[in-house]
């Protein structure tokens, strides 16, 4: 291999390569031995030499075609505002109905208190009107002997 450098030197007046590079028609090494990232380039002066090159970017592919919007997405997109407006309308309706709902709540609590008081009064009245009957218990116990076994009966009347 040639010990001389592979870059070219040109003079400002003639824009020609030096004489020792002009006689070379072939690249400095066989094409199949050129490593990746190095290419055989032709300089503006016409000299062919090896040089590191920037990797080429692959050509841009066309933008993918627009896909149609799925039906479930359309349905969801239409339901979301509807649901939001429904919740908002319910809130406005409750704000208008709040005074009436508070009055109904107070009326229901008053009715519960009336039912509880009436039930307690009715239970007390029924208990007072009922007269308990005296209970009579009769026991008959018999035993024979000092350490004999005792037998007995109990009668409720």
């Amino acid at each position: 291999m040639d010990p001389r450098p592979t870059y070219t030197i040109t003079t400002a007046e003639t824009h020609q390569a030096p004489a020792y590079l002009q006689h070379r028609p072939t690249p400095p090494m066989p094409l199949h031995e050129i490593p990746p990232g190095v290419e055989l380039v032709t300089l503006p002066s016409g000299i062919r030499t090896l040089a590191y090159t920037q990797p080429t970017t692959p050509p841009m592919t066309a933008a993918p075609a627009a896909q149609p919007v799925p039906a479930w997405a359309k349905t969801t997109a239409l339901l979301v505002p509807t649901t939001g407006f429904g919740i908002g309308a319910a809130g406005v309706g409750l704000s208008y109905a709040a005074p009436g709902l508070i009055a109904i709540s107070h009326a229901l609590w008053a009715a519960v208190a009336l039912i509880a008081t009436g039930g307690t009064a009715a239970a007390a009245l029924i208990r007072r009107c009922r007269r308990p009957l005296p209970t009579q218990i009769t026991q008959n116990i018999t035993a024979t002997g000092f350490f004999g076994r005792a037998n007995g009966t109990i009668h409720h009347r």
Side-chain angles (χ1 to χ4, degrees), residues 61-134:
T61 59
Q67 299 292 326
V69 178
W72 65 267
K74 290 179 184 177
T75 304
T76 304
L78 292 173
L79 283 177
V80 167
T82 304
T83 305
F85 288 133
I87 291 171
V92 169
L94 285 175
S95 70
Y96 283 124
L101 292 175
I102 292 171
I104 290 172
S105 171
H106 289 298
L108 287 175
W109 278 114
V112 168
L114 179 66
I115 291 170
T117 305
T120 305
L125 182 64
I126 290 172
R127 187 175 292 139
R128 184 145 177 106
C129 292
R130 220 191 240 179
R131 291 189 181 164
L133 297 174

Side-chain angles (χ1 to χ4, degrees), residues 32-53:
H32 67 278
E33 292 181 6
I34 297 176
V38 176
E39 291 184 19
L40 181 65
V41 295
T42 304
L43 298 175
S45 63
I47 298 173
R48 294 174 50 190
T49 185
L50 293 176
Y52 288 103
T53 58

